[in-house]
Amino acid sequence: MSRKTLVKVCGMRTEGDIACVNAARPDYTGFIFDPARKRFIEPKKAEALRQLLNPAITPVGVFVDPGMEWLSEVLSVCPVPVVQLHGAESEDFIKEVQDRFLVKVMKAFRIDTRQDIEKARKSPADLVLLDHGIGGTGEVFDWTLIRDIGRDFFLAGGLNPDNVQEAIRRTCPTGVDVSSGVESEGHKDPAKVRAFVNAVREERTL
């Protein structure tokens, strides 16, 4: 029996980006709250965009090694049900975020070796995301490292409309995450977003 592969489109910054995802209807979309990242968005602006988001799409807040104070500040302005952690956050930190803010935590892992897969497998996070690096690099990691991870995971890193079906066939992820792979000149491209989501919908995971 096949199952639906979930889709997350990350890096929302403009009303045009929101229009793209509202039209294509991925399952998740991400707002990046790390000031060091080029797709960073201020919490107030993110909240204004979240209000425009189709209610069927789950918003995700993306952070890199945040302090609890910053997390609290952002979530008080832009409440999201899922927090994605993209740094070196500890297991204790993940649990504290879950307990304090009553959100699901998606923990990203840079995959270079089988040991990285093992760390992801043991994580207390609600969801894990396997990526090439810090995210948004547009580079693919060695998918053959993903064997018997033993839990649901999202796949990221270098995905685009042309390779996402192969990625799904080879790794059988719970979901896929894309950002730069559906952009043109630094902004979400409506045709690319639609093509990516359609490609995923057409490729069912066994």
Side-chain angles (χ1 to χ4, degrees):
M1 173 182 274
S2 65
R3 62 180 172 85
K4 171 184 174 183
T5 302
L6 302 174
V7 185
K8 177 172 171 281
V9 179
C10 202
M12 298 294 103
R13 288 184 291 170
T14 67
E15 290 187 13
D17 292 343
I18 296 295
C20 283
V21 295
N22 281 347
R25 295 285 296 274
D27 303 282
Y28 298 86
T29 196
F31 298 101
I32 297 176
F33 296 118
D34 175 30
R37 304 283 286 276
K38 66 180 180 180
R39 296 179 183 85
F40 168 70
I41 185 170
E42 294 284 353
K44 287 184 179 179
K45 184 176 180 182
E47 174 59 14
L49 296 183
R50 189 185 71 85
Q51 294 289 341
L52 300 176
L53 190 65
N54 186 309
I57 303 171
T58 301
V60 178
V62 181
F63 300 82
V64 180
D65 294 314
M68 283 295 168
E69 184 177 347
W70 177 238
L71 270 169
S72 181
E73 179 181 338
V74 172
L75 295 178
S76 67
V77 174
C78 183
V80 294
V82 181
V83 166
Q84 181 174 323
L85 299 176
H86 238 288
E89 299 88 1
S90 68
E91 292 188 359
D92 286 343
F93 186 88
I94 291 170
K95 293 173 184 176
E96 184 175 355
V97 172
Q98 291 167 324
D99 294 342
R100 180 170 174 177
F101 301 108
L102 302 179
V103 294
K104 288 187 176 181
V105 170
M106 177 186 289
K107 179 69 181 80
F109 290 85
R110 173 174 177 157
I111 304 301
D112 291 315
T113 67
R114 282 288 300 163
Q115 286 71 32
D116 298 323
I117 294 291
E118 185 65 14
K119 291 177 184 176
R121 186 183 71 80
K122 294 180 177 180
S123 174
D126 301 279
L127 298 164
V128 295
L129 181 144
L130 311 183
D131 202 350
H132 176 270
I134 63 170
T137 63
E139 298 180 19
V140 175
F141 67 88
D142 182 1
W143 293 336
T144 64
L145 293 171
I146 306 174
R147 296 191 304 273
D148 304 321
I149 186 173
R151 67 179 296 172
D152 291 345
F153 68 93
F154 273 61
L155 181 70
L159 299 180
N160 58 57
D162 296 324
N163 68 7
V164 69
Q165 290 188 335
E166 179 189 2
I168 292 171
R169 287 193 294 268
R170 289 179 58 183
T171 67
C172 299
T174 305
V176 290
D177 190 332
V178 67
S179 184
S180 60
V182 292
E183 290 183 349
S184 294
E185 298 182 356
H187 294 283
K188 297 299 179 281
D189 183 312
K192 290 182 180 179
V193 173
R194 183 170 60 252
F196 186 90
V197 174
N198 288 344
V200 176
R201 298 291 186 240
E202 291 166 6
E203 186 64 37
R204 297 286 176 167
T205 300
L206 295 180

